[in-house]
Amino acid sequence: MRPRPTLAAVARLAGVSVSTASLAFSGAGPVSDATKARVAAAADELGYAGPDPRAQSLRRGRSGIIGVVIEERLSDAFRDPMNIALLDGIADVTGAAGSGLLLLTETGDDRAGISSAPMDAIILIGCSTSLEEAVAIVRQRGLPIVAVEARELEGVLPIGLDNRAASATGARHLRSLGHSDIGVVTLPLERSHVPRPLPADWERVATAHTSAERLRGVLDVYPEARGFAASASTIEAGREAGLALLAGDRATVPTAIVAQSDLLAIGVIRAADEVGMIVPGDLSVVGFDGIRGEVLGGIDLTTLVQPAVEKGRAAGRAALQLLDGGPAEPADFTSVFHPGGTTAPPRTR
Amino acid sequence: MRPRPTLAAVARLAGVSVSTASLAFSGAGPVSDATKARVAAAADELGYAGPDPRAQSLRRGRSGIIGVVIEERLSDAFRDPMNIALLDGIADVTGAAGSGLLLLTETGDDRAGISSAPMDAIILIGCSTSLEEAVAIVRQRGLPIVAVEARELEGVLPIGLDNRAASATGARHLRSLGHSDIGVVTLPLERSHVPRPLPADWERVATAHTSAERLRGVLDVYPEARGFAASASTIEAGREAGLALLAGDRATVPTAIVAQSDLLAIGVIRAADEVGMIVPGDLSVVGFDGIRGEVLGGIDLTTLVQPAVEKGRAAGRAALQLLDGGPAEPADFTSVFHPGGTTAPPRTR
DNA sequence: ATGAAAGCGCTAACAA
DNA sequence: TTGTTAGCGCTTTCAT
């Protein structure tokens, strides 16, 4: 691997000044065609691959990179279709603008990336259980910050979702069907993703904004709902939580369960199946997200459909606007209630 | 957003030279504790967030970023669990080394990223249908290149998989069961991912290395096998391909199908189901990959299990070694045949 | 239309 | 232990 030729070398060979060569390269600017051609020839001969992005970054004060911070390990994060949709939406916008996406995970003490990777802006997704620290670091660096579904935070542009209202809608649907005893399976509420019954002081310990909001929405309608916090947004975690809520005498068990994600809902349905309960005959189940495809196994889930890709696009757009120095539009998305086949009136007993 | 303070400013405030401040910051180097403290205090007062990564990149000639090139849109790429596993393996190694992963897609004319993003090395994954161009660009830039399951290419460090041999193993399994008429559902073979029967001149038009190798493996055992090229590695594409191969009179239809991915295999099984064929009674199905989890829907697929995460780790390690200037170890992985419940002797007819 | 010069913020020699 | 110096490769005034 030869040392990479520099623009200076090209200029020298072409017999022009460095600045002229630079202009000739960028295409724009007043350069005679003859000169342009000579520069091109020289570049070709030397195998010049274009301006060094590192030098460009320094000179222009821009790296062309947008960081995306994900809380978990990639394999976990990508297990949830919502994250993928979100990322896809972001990539859609930023890719079109010529910016690359730098994937940063926040696992362990791996603050390295977030505190020192070259980036022009940062988008925080799915990292609600440890927002503060990330934000503190990034803010110190003076980078524009966009956060998807995070608690309002000084200097952070929010991309929101109507988690509380939408969840309340789902709950009211159950109420209108006649359910009076329901359970909630929440997404992880705190940093320590330990599955466990919802503690009484959850409001105090909860650091995950999305989970808390969705929970509040349900409690708005069913203040007495019992809850169980799942360990992750996976089918397996949902199943576990479902088994926990459905354990015991049939008469003492909830007649409906609101799950905070569709994957959790599928897990709950599976749990119901395992304990011999029919959905929706014996148990109604409501999800959240509106995922499509294979994982559903043909189930028409009653759920709240959120515009995940659009959310991603908005986040990407906001990041681009912020780093352009312009004011960015905070966005607020609305979920749509989808009445599916997993809810029905409770069996009279 | 104030202009970001520079190291020079910190040094001035602390009353030391810039180089001393630099050393004090990096922790290493001989600096008195008193000085260190003063520098720290100054940094604190100014809100200095550490060295500017852009300047560091230029000075050190390293950006700390490793590019990962994916052929398709993210949403497509992430639909295949193998890609996620691969990425996870890569992230595992590179993350530990403090390098970030820059996600680059190769969609459309978006060569921007790959030709000008700041990176120290690049890993090509799942982009076998348009390898050459990508490699040409990157090689020009003088970046170390690692390619996963790609055709041997000058200056590209290969991370291989025994695609041909493993596929042959799967085929021989079918032969030993007594099958004589089999079909193959291949992954996309060319750039234009159009689903269609395998053309006679596939060897000439195929640009996808993995698909071609797996196909050769099957043809080594069944030279007469009929093929159908799927449009992607998805269940739906597999179903489509399956329906195509299983159309027509039961007597003229293959008794076994080798699918080049597990997702395709599941699709084929679904197709079989739709045309009223029982797996494995009426039709044996072999997959490739060894995915686990929900998508399988409880099916114990006969397949070839590849070490995807390990492959990713090897790719990450290789990239790191290359950019350290050291020689890197090409790696070659082996798939393990897993005899599952989707293959059986053909029904006598 | 072209050239000269001044840094972007940092680090790594080398000197003191 | 600390300071001085010289760039990394490029872009952007400003002058010609």
Side-chain angles (χ1 to χ4, degrees):
Chain A
M1 219 160 290
R2 291 199 306 276
R4 198 184 148 148
T6 72
L7 187 55
V10 173
R12 202 174 317 122
L13 179 60
V16 297
S17 75
V18 197
S19 61
T20 303
S22 175
L23 289 182
F25 239 87
S26 64
V31 186
S32 77
D33 285 349
T35 314
K36 252 185 218 156
R38 267 187 311 137
V39 171
D44 220 56
E45 182 171 340
L46 293 176
Y48 179 68
D52 184 327
R54 287 178 292 249
Q56 268 183 319
S57 299
L58 177 57
R59 181 61 235 231
R60 303 223 256 233
R62 283 283 166 76
S63 63
I65 289 180
I66 292 179
V68 177
V69 180
I70 301 176
E71 182 183 23
E72 326 144 82
R73 297 196 55 190
L74 293 185
S75 54
D76 292 332
F78 292 160
R79 193 154 294 144
D80 189 334
M82 285 301 103
N83 280 332
I84 295 178
L86 195 60
L87 211 54
D88 198 45
I90 297 174
D92 192 27
V93 173
T94 57
S99 293
L101 284 191
L102 186 65
L103 236 47
L104 300 170
T105 50
E106 242 207 322
T107 43
D109 42 37
D110 186 19
R111 286 284 183 295
I114 158 170
S115 64
S116 72
M119 303 178 284
D120 300 333
I122 200 160
I123 300 177
L124 304 165
I125 71 179
C127 41
S128 17
T129 59
S130 57
L131 241 200
E132 318 275 284
E133 295 127 83
V135 168
I137 296 175
V138 180
R139 192 158 32 195
Q140 171 100 328
R141 291 186 57 181
L143 297 178
I145 311 174
V146 175
V148 178
E149 288 180 63
R151 172 173 59 271
E152 294 274 326
L153 227 44
E154 176 66 25
V156 175
L157 191 120
I159 302 293
L161 185 66
D162 61 338
N163 286 305
R164 183 168 188 165
S167 293
T169 300
R172 272 195 302 273
H173 164 70
L174 291 175
R175 158 140 354 270
S176 75
L177 287 174
H179 291 272
S180 58
D181 183 6
I182 77 160
V184 186
V185 175
T186 77
L187 292 164
L189 277 161
E190 339 152 51
R191 190 67 157 267
S192 82
H193 298 189
V194 177
R196 58 161 174 167
L198 193 67
D201 63 342
W202 70 266
E203 277 272 14
R204 208 174 46 71
V205 300
T207 53
H209 186 250
T210 302
S211 322
E213 281 293 287
R214 293 188 188 172
L215 180 51
R216 288 190 192 103
V218 174
L219 295 178
D220 286 343
V221 180
Y222 287 98
E224 305 296 329
R226 312 169 224 186
F228 192 96
S231 58
S233 181
T234 64
I235 295 181
E236 183 46 33
R239 178 178 155 273
E240 244 181 81
L243 288 176
L245 284 174
L246 298 177
D249 195 327
R250 183 69 61 93
T252 71
V253 136
T255 61
I257 289 182
V258 175
Q260 291 194 339
S261 82
D262 286 350
L263 291 180
L264 288 174
I266 295 168
V268 169
I269 293 173
R270 201 155 300 176
D273 191 49
E274 282 177 38
V275 299
M277 295 178 78
I278 310 279
V279 173
D282 301 320
L283 182 76
S284 286
V285 178
V286 178
F288 202 118
D289 284 347
I291 63 177
R292 334 211 98 264
E294 299 308 330
V295 262
L296 285 172
I299 297 171
D300 177 22
L301 201 57
T302 295
T303 193
L304 292 134
V305 184
Q306 62 152 310
V309 176
E310 261 319 316
K311 235 170 51 185
R313 290 213 185 90
R317 235 169 340 201
L320 292 173
Q321 289 167 336
L322 283 178
L323 69 78
D324 253 16
E329 27 174 79
D332 251 303
F333 289 92
T334 304
S335 311
V336 175
F337 177 66
H338 168 79
T342 57
T343 44
R347 210 185 277 301
T348 38
R349 56 184 181 191
Chain B
M1 219 160 291
R2 292 198 308 275
R4 197 183 150 148
T6 71
L7 187 54
V10 174
R12 202 172 318 122
L13 179 60
V16 297
S17 75
V18 199
S19 62
T20 302
S22 175
L23 289 182
F25 241 87
S26 64
V31 186
S32 77
D33 285 348
T35 314
K36 252 185 220 156
R38 267 190 307 139
V39 171
D44 221 55
E45 183 171 338
L46 293 176
Y48 179 68
D52 183 328
R54 288 178 292 248
Q56 271 183 317
S57 299
L58 177 57
R59 180 62 237 234
R60 305 222 256 233
R62 282 283 166 74
S63 63
I65 290 180
I66 292 179
V68 176
V69 181
I70 301 178
E71 183 184 22
E72 328 144 81
R73 298 196 55 191
L74 293 185
S75 56
D76 292 332
F78 292 160
R79 194 153 292 146
D80 189 336
M82 285 300 104
N83 280 333
I84 295 177
L86 194 60
L87 210 55
D88 198 44
I90 297 174
D92 192 26
V93 173
T94 57
S99 294
L101 283 191
L102 186 65
L103 237 46
L104 300 169
T105 50
E106 243 207 323
T107 43
D109 41 37
D110 186 18
R111 287 281 183 293
I114 161 170
S115 64
S116 71
M119 301 178 284
D120 300 334
I122 201 161
I123 301 177
L124 304 164
I125 72 178
C127 43
S128 16
T129 59
S130 56
L131 238 200
E132 318 274 283
E133 295 127 83
V135 168
I137 295 174
V138 181
R139 191 157 33 197
Q140 171 100 330
R141 291 185 58 182
L143 297 178
I145 311 174
V146 174
V148 177
E149 288 180 64
R151 169 173 62 270
E152 294 274 326
L153 226 43
E154 176 67 25
V156 175
L157 191 122
I159 302 294
L161 185 65
D162 61 339
N163 285 305
R164 184 169 188 164
S167 293
T169 301
R172 272 196 303 274
H173 165 68
L174 291 175
R175 159 142 351 273
S176 76
L177 287 173
H179 292 273
S180 58
D181 182 6
I182 79 158
V184 186
V185 174
T186 77
L187 293 164
L189 277 161
E190 341 152 50
R191 191 64 159 269
S192 81
H193 297 188
V194 176
R196 59 161 174 166
L198 194 67
D201 64 341
W202 70 268
E203 277 272 14
R204 207 172 47 70
V205 300
T207 53
H209 185 250
T210 302
S211 320
E213 282 293 286
R214 292 187 188 174
L215 180 51
R216 288 190 192 103
V218 174
L219 294 178
D220 286 344
V221 180
Y222 288 99
E224 305 296 329
R226 315 168 222 184
F228 191 95
S231 58
S233 182
T234 63
I235 295 180
E236 184 46 35
R239 179 178 154 272
E240 246 182 79
L243 288 176
L245 284 173
L246 298 177
D249 194 328
R250 183 68 62 93
T252 71
V253 135
T255 61
I257 289 181
V258 174
Q260 290 194 341
S261 82
D262 286 349
L263 291 181
L264 288 174
I266 294 167
V268 169
I269 292 172
R270 201 154 299 178
D273 191 48
E274 283 178 35
V275 300
M277 294 177 77
I278 309 280
V279 174
D282 301 320
L283 181 76
S284 285
V285 177
V286 178
F288 203 117
D289 284 345
I291 65 177
R292 333 212 97 262
E294 299 308 330
V295 263
L296 285 171
I299 298 171
D300 178 22
L301 202 57
T302 296
T303 193
L304 292 134
V305 183
Q306 62 153 312
V309 178
E310 260 319 316
K311 237 172 48 187
R313 290 215 185 88
R317 235 167 345 206
L320 291 173
Q321 289 167 337
L322 284 177
L323 71 78
D324 253 16
E329 28 173 79
D332 251 302
F333 288 91
T334 305
S335 311
V336 175
F337 178 68
H338 168 79
T342 57
T343 44
R347 209 184 279 301
T348 38
R349 54 187 180 191

